[in-house]
Amino acid sequence: MTQHTTLITGVTHGMGRALALDLAPRGGTLLLHGRKAERLEAVAAEARAAGPGTTVRTYLADLSDLDQVHAMAARIRAAEPHLDGLVHNAVAGGGSRPLVRELSGQGHELRFAVNHLAPYALTRALLPLLTASAPARVVNVASMGQEAVDLDDVMMERDYEGLRAYCRSKLAMIMATFELGAELAATGVTVNALHPAHLMDTPAVRAYGLTPVTTTEEGVRPTVRLLLDPELATVTGRYFDQFTDARAHDQAYDRGVRERLMKLTHDLIGTA
Ligand SMILES: NC(=O)c1ccc[n+]([C@@H]2O[C@H](COP(=O)([O-])OP(=O)(O)OC[C@H]3O[C@@H](n4cnc5c(N)ncnc54)[C@H](OP(=O)(O)O)[C@@H]3O)[C@@H](O)[C@H]2O)c1
């Protein structure tokens, strides 16, 4: 993968960091994203040590603010000549205070904003670079934790709970994967989603009070496969449960719901 340039979001902890350290020895260029400069530079230093021949550059943005998402995309477009892989790994999990409904910079429900709006907005903003670099791959790190999105209460103003908000945002991400996969079919840019592994030992899992049952390496392997396996070069618009092409929540197969969700998504992120 010597010539590959890959952007990973949310590398400062958990599976994102493990993925960065897995890819680092493989060469090419790694673009590492985080929201806290000191922590991001510490992980970048680890990646450089793990792969001395790999170029590592860092990008800062708080994904709960769409202005920062768009600004980061503009910096990437200006600085990077190629982008072959984009892994949307960053996440707002169930949270340590799951009954407290939090909002993004734009006043959207935080989990919907960080886990669905931000990655979709970033992908869209980087599409010129991705299509110019094709073949290229977008990997949406979703989850088997999925719950139907209530299109009449997308921001969960009623009956809020953090893990349910997370599950809805992850299904929204999967629905966006299906739509974008179809839209980009002729471009050479593939878009797939996956559940990486069950209850890995990460801050998101522990913050919600869950007990980890597996390691981040379990999630890294199927994620790297979606990113690099030549056998998946033309596979797009799919949801994988680790290594298995799987069925997502029923709502993801309702075309009318997907269309309503994507119209709302475009309205919220400010694209036509
Ligand atoms: N852990 C599991 O068992 C499991 C299961 C299924 C799916 N997944 C998926 O796997 C991925 C990784 O999960 P994880 O458990 O490794 O998560 P994690 O340990 O909590 O790490 C999340 C990463 O996202 C970053 N992040 C959170 N909010 C952000 C924001 N507003 N702006 C920028 N960055 C932000 C965090 O940055 P900070 O360091 O600044 O907080 C951190 O680097 C997620 O997409 C998750 O849904 C995980």
Side-chain angles (χ1 to χ4, degrees), residues 24-132:
R26 300 174 191 244
T29 301
L30 270 185
L31 310 179
L32 304 182
H33 156 267
R35 64 175 158 175
K36 294 170 192 153
E38 198 177 327
R39 180 76 195 143
L40 179 59
E41 291 311 323
V43 175
E46 286 186 283
R48 290 185 186 105
T54 297
T55 301
V56 178
R57 285 191 281 273
T58 55
Y59 285 95
L60 269 179
D62 188 331
L63 300 181
S64 71
D65 180 351
L66 282 172
D67 291 340
Q68 292 194 35
V69 174
H70 290 302
M72 178 172 72
R75 291 197 304 276
I76 293 171
R77 285 198 312 263
E80 303 299 338
H82 296 287
L83 187 62
D84 312 275
L86 168 52
V87 183
H88 291 293
N89 163 83
V91 69
S96 55
R97 296 180 303 155
L99 295 181
V100 178
R101 182 174 165 272
E102 298 167 280
L103 300 180
S104 72
Q106 284 67 34
H108 306 137
E109 190 278 307
L110 184 77
R111 279 141 191 92
F112 188 76
V114 172
N115 304 345
H116 168 60
L117 295 179
Y120 187 75
L122 185 58
T123 299
R124 279 230 93 90
L126 293 177
L127 269 185
L129 187 54
L130 287 162
T131 50

Side-chain angles (χ1 to χ4, degrees), residues 10-19 89-95 141 166 196-220:
V11 301
T12 45
H13 286 106
M15 195 184 88
R17 173 178 167 273
L19 180 61
N89 163 83
V91 69
V141 183
Y166 166 88
H198 191 52
L199 291 178
M200 293 178 282
D201 191 355
T202 69
V205 166
R206 288 187 180 273
Y208 191 74
L210 296 167
T211 303
V213 299
T214 190
T215 63
T216 50
E217 282 65 36
E218 285 297 306
V220 166

Side-chain angles (χ1 to χ4, degrees), residues 179-193:
E179 290 293 305
L180 205 52
E183 180 188 328
L184 300 179
T187 66
V189 179
T190 64
V191 190
N192 291 294

